[in-house]
Amino acid sequence: MRTSELYASAPVRATLGRALRPGGEKLTRRMLELAGPLRSALALDAGCGCGASLVLLEEYGARAVGLDLNAGFLRESSGRKLKVARADLAELPLPDGCADLILCECVWNLTDKERVLAEFLRVLRPGGVLALADIYARGYRAGEWPVRCCFAQATDLQTVMEQVAGAGFEIDVVEEHTELLKKTAADFVFRHGSLHGFWQAVTGDPDLAVAACEASKAARPGLFLMMAYSGGK
Amino acid sequence: MSLVFLPEDMNWRCEPCGVPLEPGKVELAYLGQVFHVELPVCPKCGAAFVYEELALGRIFEVEQLLEDK
């Protein structure tokens, strides 16, 4: 089995719960604190999943809207009176300059990255904030990932910064949060006996599991947080 | 939620206290990370028993991972 939705697989969901990403609420809260006062701000959660961060955005006083391609996740979030819609992040169904904040957590690597950054820039008001968290590669590995997932399109952090700045954003903060990713990987090991056991549970294929372990060892995935502004602060 | 790690043979006793071990909640901490698990614990002194298979398997791999090895 090859999956484009590692985050949606049963082994991942059993460990991560509603947040669907390493770091959970802790990383989201850190980004919302860095974003500054959010009362009445229009905040888009780009790739909102089951809506865990939408609940936090509302807690911070923002008017939160979530978009995701996964209809199943949106259905899960619908019981909580959250404003969500199904959409491709490369074609946001939103007018120019409408959003004060875009939150994008461990989703960007799964998208057409440059098109999505261009859409984020279009939809943010001048001075609006992009809060981006995702996997990056701390090591080097050539070739395709054996399992299509959020690691597959991850690059080194310098490339991430060049892409974000190249799209027209002004980068304000970059933080390293790899410890949170390691904690998640360790939780997978405890639950599945080993990382190989985890990848086997995800892929159902022992050879793919070996290949995924080797790829991970070479790429040495890390987790970053970035705050970037549209058109200056 | 704690993951439960009990040996197949739970017929273990705490030698100093002389009482049988019972399943109990334990916090494992390493390099700033905390994991909540259920292990055999002495109900009298609170000592937890990490059996060999767990120590050389899951716990060893987690240590390597947290040490970035």
Side-chain angles (χ1 to χ4, degrees):
Chain A
M1 183 188 89
R2 289 168 73 87
T3 177
S4 60
E5 297 190 348
L6 170 66
Y7 66 95
S9 66
V12 171
R13 295 212 63 190
T15 301
L16 295 185
R18 278 190 178 275
L20 302 173
R21 59 179 178 276
E25 203 173 279
K26 189 176 175 184
L27 197 58
T28 310
R29 285 190 184 278
R30 174 69 186 148
M31 289 197 284
L32 298 188
E33 279 155 22
L34 286 169
L38 290 173
R39 187 147 299 282
S40 302
L42 181 63
L44 166 65
D45 184 357
C48 62
C50 308
S53 294
L54 290 172
V55 174
L56 281 184
L57 282 165
E58 289 188 348
E59 187 187 300
Y60 278 71
R63 293 173 293 138
V65 178
L67 297 175
D68 204 289
L69 262 183
N70 188 313
F73 288 152
L74 294 177
R75 272 195 298 277
E76 279 186 47
S77 70
S78 64
R80 295 191 284 172
K81 294 182 180 170
L82 301 168
K83 295 182 186 70
V84 297
R86 187 167 186 269
D88 184 344
L89 300 186
E91 293 175 35
L92 295 174
L94 295 166
D96 296 358
C98 68
D100 300 293
L101 168 71
I102 295 180
L103 185 65
C104 187
E105 302 170 284
C106 286
V107 172
W108 184 53
N109 275 338
L110 295 168
T111 67
D112 183 339
K113 293 163 83 171
E114 291 192 354
R115 277 182 67 198
V116 164
L117 283 178
E119 274 297 85
F120 286 172
L121 193 71
R122 178 185 69 77
V123 163
L124 277 173
R125 66 165 171 79
V129 187
L130 169 62
L132 184 67
D134 220 318
I135 305 294
Y136 74 100
R138 295 182 299 146
Y140 175 74
R141 183 186 169 276
E144 247 188 85
W145 261 73
V147 180
R148 181 159 150 57
C149 62
C150 55
F151 299 121
Q153 282 206 89
T155 63
D156 62 280
L157 196 50
Q158 183 60 36
T159 303
V160 172
M161 291 168 68
E162 285 169 10
Q163 282 180 303
V164 172
F169 286 93
E170 186 181 313
I171 297 172
D172 188 42
V173 174
V174 179
E175 288 184 355
E176 154 66 40
H177 287 278
T178 299
E179 295 308 311
L180 294 173
L181 182 62
K182 286 185 189 174
K183 170 68 166 66
T184 300
D187 286 336
F188 290 150
V189 170
F190 268 122
R191 190 175 283 265
H192 296 280
S194 62
L195 276 183
H196 178 270
F198 164 71
W199 282 111
Q200 173 142 358
V202 170
T203 63
D205 180 328
D207 295 333
L208 269 184
V210 169
C213 286
E214 285 170 0
S216 180
K217 198 161 185 148
R220 299 179 63 232
L223 182 64
F224 73 87
L225 169 165
M226 183 180 290
M227 306 296 288
Y229 290 83
S230 156
K233 280 193 201 179
Chain B
M1 190 187 73
S2 303
L3 291 174
V4 179
F5 298 112
L6 302 174
E8 282 181 25
D9 170 15
M10 262 297 281
N11 189 23
W12 292 82
R13 299 178 77 82
C14 176
E15 195 172 306
C17 302
V19 295
L21 301 186
E22 296 173 358
K25 292 192 186 307
V26 174
E27 222 178 68
L28 300 176
Y30 190 62
L31 293 179
Q33 304 290 0
V34 177
F35 304 90
H36 298 276
V37 297
E38 203 170 311
L39 292 174
V41 172
C42 171
K44 203 167 167 187
C45 71
F49 172 48
V50 179
Y51 53 98
E52 189 175 7
E53 184 195 347
L54 180 63
L56 299 180
R58 286 172 163 87
I59 290 180
F60 178 71
E61 187 163 338
V62 165
E63 284 174 353
Q64 297 267 301
L65 208 153
L66 296 180
E67 290 166 8
D68 228 356
K69 287 182 180 166

